[in-house]
């Protein structure tokens, strides 16, 4: 083959999220890629996690409006009250966005009038089987609910990409468990049973992704009269202070953009290496509930369900993220947006 050019259509994306400072950066990165023509946003479903269901819905609507994506459909979290893990507002702010939601444009969308996430996931995947990539950035409550309501629905996704789990590193909500899994371990277990090719981006790689204050400050300085750029800078400052307070970044003045790695996998896969395996969730242990387990014994295995990220080119990934955020800001200026 020589000289052939393949015209690839934009990747269709549905994001399930619980904004969250790192969720917000993942959403902004995806906005940049949509505006560049590499992705098509078919919907956002929100889930209770970092903050309440009402707040994650409101935050997602505001972040979409900030980038000019008011037309993207947004679903509300399914109702679930079985958790023992509290929210993460002490990390992300009471609103999930560094207590900055008041500076963002209001959205006319009403939580009570929104479709439930499980129905939205089912409708989206049934209407375009094999075409839509589902990204999970929060607890897996919505995805499990969709799978329970319509068994096999998650198999209709082109790919299922999750920021979830911890394998060779400590958890971030207990000594063993990562927040998205620990918040609803039964949901995580159900989703992991839904297909054989789930992509998992765990804390093992995301703990290496420290977006520094200098990086976000440079964006704010480059676009001093752009609301989006100032929000990026301010949220970066808040999250960096939070990560330092929680001793998450080895004293580096920056924050962990956990959820952004899902976007990197889809559009910059050369920055990651993976191990194939069978991942399960511990949901009964007194001290290990929510732990993700990957069987690394050299015994014959007749079943696998996941590709687990084990290495990341952190500086390259972060450099690409910053460049794409700059591209988003530049595009918003071209669209005539200011403070």
């Amino acid at each position: 083959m020589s000289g052939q050019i393949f015209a690839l259509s934009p990747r269709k994306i549905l994001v399930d999220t619980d904004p969250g400072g790192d969720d917000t950066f993942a959403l902004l990165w995806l906005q940049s890629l949509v505006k560049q023509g590499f992705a098509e946003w078919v919907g956002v479903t929100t889930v209770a996690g970092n903050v309440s269901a009402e707040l994650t819905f409101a935050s997602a609507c505001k972040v979409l409006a900030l980038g000019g994506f008011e037309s993207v459909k947004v679903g509300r979290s399914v109702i679930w009250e079985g958790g023992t893990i509290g929210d993460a507002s002490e990390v992300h702010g009471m609103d999930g966005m560094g207590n900055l939601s008041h500076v963002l444009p209001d959205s006319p969308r009403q939580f009570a009038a929104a479709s439930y996430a499980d129905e939205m996931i089912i409708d989206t995947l049934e209407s375009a089987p094999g075409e839509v990539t589902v990204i999970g950035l929060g607890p897996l409550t919505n995805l499990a609910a969709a799978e329970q309501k319509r068994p096999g629905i998650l198999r209709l996704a082109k790919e299922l990409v999750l920021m979830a789990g911890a394998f060779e590193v400590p958890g971030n909500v207990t000594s063993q468990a990562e927040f998205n899994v620990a918040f609803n371990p039964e949901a995580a277990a159900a989703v992991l049973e839904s297909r054989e090719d789930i992509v998992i981006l765990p804390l093992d790689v995301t703990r290496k992704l420290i977006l520094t204050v200098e990086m976000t400050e440079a964006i704010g300085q480059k676009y001093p009269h752009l609301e989006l750029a100032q929000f990026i800078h301010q949220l970066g400052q808040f999250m960096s202070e939070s990560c330092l307070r929680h001793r998450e970044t080895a004293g580096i003045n920056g924050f962990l953009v956990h959820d952004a790695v899902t976007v990197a996998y889809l559009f910059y896969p050369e920055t990651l290496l993976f191990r194939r395996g069978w991942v399960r969730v511990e949901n009964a242990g007194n001290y290990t509930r929510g732990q993700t387990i990957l069987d690394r014994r050299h015994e014959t295995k007749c079943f696998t369900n996941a590709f687990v990220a084990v290495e990341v080119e952190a500086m390259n990934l972060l450099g690409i993220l910053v460049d794409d955020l700059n591209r988003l800001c530049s595009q918003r200026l071209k669209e005539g947006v200011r403070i």
Side-chain angles (χ1 to χ4, degrees), residues 228-259:
L228 169 61
Q230 298 312 304
F231 174 71
I232 288 171
H233 171 42
Q234 292 166 10
L235 182 57
Q237 281 188 314
F238 178 94
M239 291 301 300
S240 296
E241 292 171 3
S242 178
C243 279
L244 283 173
R245 190 168 59 251
H246 289 87
R247 303 177 181 177
E248 290 281 348
T249 55
I252 298 172
N253 193 12
F255 71 101
L256 298 170
V257 281
H258 299 289
D259 290 335

Side-chain angles (χ1 to χ4, degrees), residues 214-227:
E214 290 79 11
M215 292 174 179
T216 56
E217 184 178 31
I219 295 173
Q221 291 175 343
K222 187 174 182 179
Y223 303 96
H225 303 297
L226 182 65
E227 181 182 31

Side-chain angles (χ1 to χ4, degrees), residues 281-336:
V281 177
E282 173 59 62
N283 57 23
N286 290 330
Y287 304 105
T288 58
R289 178 171 162 80
Q291 181 180 10
T292 43
I293 301 165
L294 176 65
D295 189 349
R296 291 182 298 278
R297 296 173 297 172
H298 297 302
E299 296 182 356
T300 304
K301 299 175 180 64
C302 297
F303 178 79
T304 55
N305 65 347
F307 295 91
V308 179
V310 293
E311 293 183 26
V312 60
E313 294 181 4
M315 294 313 298
N316 282 331
L317 189 155
L318 292 169
I320 295 166
L321 167 58
V322 170
D323 182 63
D324 277 336
L325 291 177
N326 274 305
R327 290 171 185 251
L328 176 61
C329 291
S330 177
Q331 181 59 36
R332 290 301 277 160
L333 280 180
K334 292 176 182 177
E335 294 167 0

Side-chain angles (χ1 to χ4, degrees), residues 4-22:
Q4 286 188 322
I5 298 176
F6 295 92
L8 300 178
S9 59
R11 188 188 293 265
K12 295 180 180 179
I13 303 289
L14 185 147
V15 180
D16 187 64
T17 180
D18 63 332
D22 57 322

Side-chain angles (χ1 to χ4, degrees), residues 165-178:
F167 297 91
E168 298 294 323
V169 299
N172 62 355
V173 67
T174 71
S175 64
Q176 303 297 320
E178 180 273 330

Side-chain angles (χ1 to χ4, degrees), residues 11 132-135 157-161 195 197 199 265-266:
R11 188 188 293 265
V132 178
T133 295
V134 175
I135 303 176
K158 180 177 182 178
E159 283 190 278
L160 179 55
V161 182
R195 45 192 296 162
D197 58 353
V199 176
Y265 161 73
L266 290 170

Side-chain angles (χ1 to χ4, degrees), residues 24-38:
T24 299
F25 273 81
L27 294 173
L28 293 174
W29 196 357
L30 188 57
Q31 288 183 20
S32 178
L33 291 163
V34 172
K35 287 182 182 290
Q36 293 177 58
F38 297 117

